[in-house]
Amino acid sequence: MRQLFLFVVLLCALTCSYAQGNLSKTVSISMTRQPMSAVLDAIAHQGDFHFSYVREMVHADSLVSVRAGNKTVKQVLDQLFQGSMAYRDAGNQVLLQPNREKYFFVSGHVTDGSTGQPLHNASVYEGVQLISTMTNDQGYYRLRLRERDKDRPMPLMLTVSKELYKDTIMLVSGGYDQEISVSIKPAPPITLGIVDVNQYSRVSESWFGKVFLTSKQRYQSLNLSKFFADQPYQTSFLPGLGTHGKLSSQVVNKVSLNFIGGYSAGLNGVEISGAFNIDQRDVQYAQFASLFNVVGGKMHGVQLSGLHNQVRDSVKGLQASGFSNMTTKGYEGVQLAGIFNVSTGETRGLGAAGVVNVYWKDHHGLMAAGIGNMTRAREHGVQAAGVFNVAQQTNVAQLAGVINVADTASGLQVAGVVNAVRVLKGVQVGVFNYADSSDGYSIGVISIVRRGYHQLLVYNTELLPFNLAFKSGNSKLYSLIIAGGSFVEGAKAFSFGYGLGKSFKDYSVELTEQNLYLGNRKSLGTLARLQVAWNREIGKNARIFIGPAFTLYFSEEDSHVEGYKSRVPGPYGAFTFNDHMRCWFGWHVGFSFF
């Protein structure tokens, strides 16, 4: 990834260099007290172009000295004319014209007001022109400023800012180069606390900030945490290399175009980047990046990226990425990711990911994932996953291919294999269902309620003398796993099946389905049985039950196998519908143990 990034940077740099033409060509020149015209001829000879100018306006006969090694033509011209001339590419020539704007330089030192020691990485800026610089290790700074009115020079305000120090303002008279030094005082402790508790998260100190921003850009953001400006537009090549220069991180733009990456204060319009966007504060309307977007405040609108979106506050609108989305204070709208979504705040709307959604607080709406969904708090909508769902509390539905897990389920739990919940208030549907306590309904092959029914039934029926059943669930709905048999030679028969039942105060109603084996595996009969039982407690952990039953029997083939029953139901009368279906009335009587 690092090599790819460097390749993209180099490619864009070469493209921009080609687009800038003669002014971007590199030259090396060293001349002392030579006429200006001779110096310009030497530059033009090395760059294989020629200058076009009026001799009187550039003072062609004046003697100048210049030393520049491997500098661009523009940098050498800046050194020669100090802002007095403007230059423009025109085919194979560079036009030199007097600059209508007048510039001057302000320089000096910034020191600690308590110790007198020089302060490095202090920011010195002019907020109207958006010109800034930072002090070096000796506390030295130098700013090139533009006159506001060339006929009536107006004083300018320079601000010196550094984290943990008081801001200091200097009034500068325009029209000439000057040197101004200043001492700034540390901020009192009570002010420090206010500065550190910032409304916006410091993206400059995040992982992305440390990787993609220079140390000076991060210092600048910390120093100027109180200064922000609004501008209609900006363009940049990389953070700090653009129309707003070193103060780009403190400007909120309406239109922002970043060829590789940009670092801005915020957005109130549209931002497009070839690789990444980093914004300190709120972003609204639309943000697009081929790699990633990082926002320190709120995101309102549409945020799209090829890999990753990170919003350190909240999102309202659409957030979509090819790999992942992360929000700190939740979202309201739609969140789509190729791999995963993560939110540590309350969320409302659709969250869809190819692998997993992880939400730390309440979610209202629909969560859909190819592998799993996790909600550390309450899920007030639907969780749908290919493998698993996990939630603290669900109020609507959990749908999973393999397993659902919840602390409290008030809605529907449907899983291909397992549903597990501590408190069930809704409905579970799965092969295996577990609940610690239940006031709802569990439907599955095995449904266990730890504080509900766990009964073993031993009983006799008109068809089979010996039957066993395991009953589990609660009084509203319980499941039965059934096995029975007759071992008498000449009348052998075996059954196995499943049933559901509901218990009332003194009686129960059950509906079961069993397969009947009569010696031929290819022609298993099917018993659908409705039975009612009256229950009477005969001990602390035992009951006796008895009741009538109605059975519907279906069999494709009525062949007799030696040693097995030849007639179903046996000596009891049955109503015959056709050659394959019959029904009869019977009974069941036995004991249940719990």
Side-chain angles (χ1 to χ4, degrees):
M1 180 62 72
R2 182 184 296 272
Q3 292 173 341
L4 177 61
F5 180 77
L6 291 176
F7 173 77
V8 172
V9 172
L10 179 59
L11 180 61
C12 294
L14 290 175
T15 303
C16 291
S17 175
Y18 176 78
Q20 290 177 352
N22 297 317
L23 291 174
S24 66
K25 292 180 178 179
T26 302
V27 297
S28 296
I29 188 168
S30 178
M31 302 179 72
T32 304
R33 293 188 59 78
Q34 296 296 319
M36 177 68 78
S37 58
V39 175
L40 293 176
D41 289 342
I43 296 173
H45 178 73
Q46 289 191 38
D48 193 24
F49 64 89
H50 66 272
F51 286 104
S52 178
Y53 56 88
V54 177
R55 294 179 61 87
E56 290 76 13
M57 291 184 177
V58 299
H59 305 290
D61 296 329
S62 61
L63 301 179
V64 295
S65 299
V66 60
R67 287 183 176 83
N70 293 322
K71 300 291 185 181
T72 65
V73 172
K74 183 180 182 302
Q75 289 174 324
V76 177
L77 294 178
D78 286 341
Q79 184 177 338
L80 282 171
F81 294 111
Q82 297 290 309
S84 63
M85 299 294 291
Y87 10 94
R88 180 169 58 89
D89 262 323
N92 194 37
Q93 62 180 345
V94 173
L95 304 180
L96 301 180
Q97 297 174 328
N99 199 335
R100 294 180 181 179
E101 295 180 320
K102 189 176 181 181
Y103 293 87
F104 64 98
F105 289 88
V106 177
S107 59
H109 290 82
V110 178
T111 57
D112 187 305
S114 299
T115 65
Q117 296 296 317
L119 289 178
H120 70 284
N121 288 331
S123 297
V124 183
Y125 67 94
E126 202 283 323
V128 177
Q129 299 182 24
L130 296 179
I131 305 297
S132 72
T133 189
M134 298 185 73
T135 57
N136 61 17
D137 293 341
Q138 289 75 43
Y140 178 78
Y141 73 93
R142 188 170 186 262
L143 276 178
R144 179 175 176 263
L145 301 173
R146 184 178 66 251
E147 287 282 7
R148 290 186 180 178
D149 189 331
K150 64 180 181 179
D151 297 324
R152 298 179 59 191
M154 301 271 305
L156 301 175
M157 281 198 313
L158 296 185
T159 304
V160 182
S161 295
K162 184 172 175 61
E163 189 186 24
L164 308 183
Y165 284 81
K166 289 182 178 181
D167 287 354
T168 301
I169 296 176
M170 301 183 294
L171 287 177
V172 178
S173 299
Y176 62 95
D177 295 347
Q178 53 200 285
E179 185 170 331
I180 302 176
S181 296
V182 64
S183 295
I184 59 175
K185 296 181 179 180
I190 187 171
T191 305
L192 295 183
I194 296 174
V195 171
D196 287 342
V197 181
N198 198 326
Q199 178 184 358
Y200 301 97
S201 177
R202 291 178 170 177
V203 295
S204 60
E205 297 304 298
S206 67
W207 182 87
F208 286 98
K210 292 178 180 178
V211 172
F212 292 94
L213 301 177
T214 66
S215 59
K216 285 188 175 294
Q217 289 168 340
R218 299 201 304 273
Y219 277 123
Q220 183 93 302
S221 300
L222 297 177
N223 291 340
L224 306 184
S225 60
K226 296 179 182 179
F227 170 75
F228 295 98
D230 295 310
Q231 291 293 318
Y233 70 92
Q234 76 93 24
T235 61
S236 73
F237 184 69
L238 283 169
L241 298 178
T243 52
H244 299 330
K246 298 175 183 178
L247 278 181
S248 63
S249 62
Q250 309 307 119
V251 179
V252 178
N253 303 290
K254 294 186 182 297
V255 177
S256 178
L257 300 176
N258 305 308
F259 292 101
I260 293 181
Y263 180 35
S264 304
L267 177 70
N268 192 25
V270 178
E271 185 170 48
I272 302 174
S273 172
F276 64 88
N277 298 307
I278 301 177
D279 291 83
Q280 290 197 70
R281 291 155 59 95
D282 297 342
V283 168
Q284 61 177 351
Y285 300 127
Q287 188 179 53
F288 309 99
S290 61
L291 293 183
F292 66 85
N293 295 304
V294 177
V295 176
K298 299 176 181 178
M299 172 66 213
H300 288 181
V302 177
Q303 187 181 53
L304 305 178
S305 71
L307 288 180
H308 177 70
N309 291 314
Q310 182 170 345
V311 177
R312 298 169 73 88
D313 196 282
S314 60
V315 173
K316 187 175 183 180
L318 169 63
Q319 187 182 49
S321 73
F323 191 84
S324 59
N325 295 306
M326 298 181 67
T327 63
T328 300
K329 297 184 180 179
Y331 76 88
E332 182 176 342
V334 178
Q335 195 176 47
L336 307 174
I339 303 299
F340 68 88
N341 293 311
V342 176
S343 176
T344 57
E346 186 170 344
T347 57
R348 296 177 181 272
L350 168 64
V355 177
V356 65
N357 292 306
V358 180
Y359 295 149
W360 289 73
K361 292 187 178 180
D362 291 2
H363 177 259
H364 305 256
L366 171 63
M367 295 173 63
I371 301 297
N373 297 305
M374 297 179 64
T375 305
R376 298 291 299 271
R378 292 185 294 270
E379 172 56 55
H380 297 280
V382 177
Q383 281 187 322
V387 178
F388 71 89
N389 292 307
V390 177
Q392 184 72 15
Q393 179 178 332
T394 63
N395 291 336
V396 180
Q398 277 187 317
L399 310 174
V402 178
I403 184 171
N404 290 311
V405 177
D407 183 80
T408 302
S410 301
L412 175 66
Q413 271 193 328
V414 179
V417 181
V418 178
N419 292 305
V421 64
R422 188 178 66 85
V423 178
L424 177 63
K425 298 180 180 180
V427 179
Q428 288 179 318
V429 180
V431 176
F432 177 81
N433 298 307
Y434 173 83
D436 188 74
S437 62
S438 175
D439 192 32
Y441 303 89
S442 298
I443 303 173
V445 177
I446 300 177
S447 298
I448 297 176
V449 179
R450 191 175 71 86
R451 300 181 185 180
Y453 277 19
H454 304 94
Q455 297 185 21
L456 179 65
L457 283 66
V458 181
Y459 60 97
N460 173 273
T461 70
E462 79 286 351
L463 183 62
L464 299 172
F466 180 74
N467 295 273
L468 286 175
F470 177 72
K471 182 191 296 186
S472 64
N474 60 15
S475 60
K476 288 185 175 182
L477 184 69
Y478 55 82
S479 62
L480 298 103
I481 299 176
I482 305 166
S486 171
F487 304 94
V488 178
E489 188 62 34
K492 292 192 293 184
F494 302 97
S495 74
F496 54 91
Y498 174 79
L500 295 173
K502 180 176 176 60
S503 177
F504 298 91
K505 184 176 181 181
D506 295 320
Y507 66 94
S508 60
V509 178
E510 298 169 350
L511 180 63
T512 66
E513 187 276 333
Q514 302 171 63
N515 290 319
L516 184 65
Y517 175 69
L518 298 175
N520 187 351
R521 295 181 181 178
K522 295 182 180 180
S523 59
L524 291 176
T526 301
L527 297 168
R529 188 176 178 89
L530 175 65
Q531 53 195 32
V532 179
W534 172 79
N535 299 275
R536 179 65 180 242
E537 192 170 313
I538 59 174
K540 183 178 179 181
N541 296 311
R543 288 182 181 179
I544 187 173
F545 63 87
I546 186 172
F550 175 77
T551 302
L552 183 66
Y553 177 69
F554 175 82
S555 176
E556 288 281 357
E557 196 176 316
D558 198 10
S559 60
H560 176 247
V561 177
E562 185 70 26
Y564 286 82
K565 273 182 178 286
S566 59
R567 184 180 175 190
V568 176
Y572 309 102
F575 303 97
T576 301
F577 292 100
N578 52 48
D579 293 340
H580 304 292
M581 185 176 294
R582 69 192 68 170
C583 63
W584 64 85
F585 290 96
W587 75 85
H588 68 306
V589 59
F591 299 92
S592 62
F593 304 94
F594 53 91

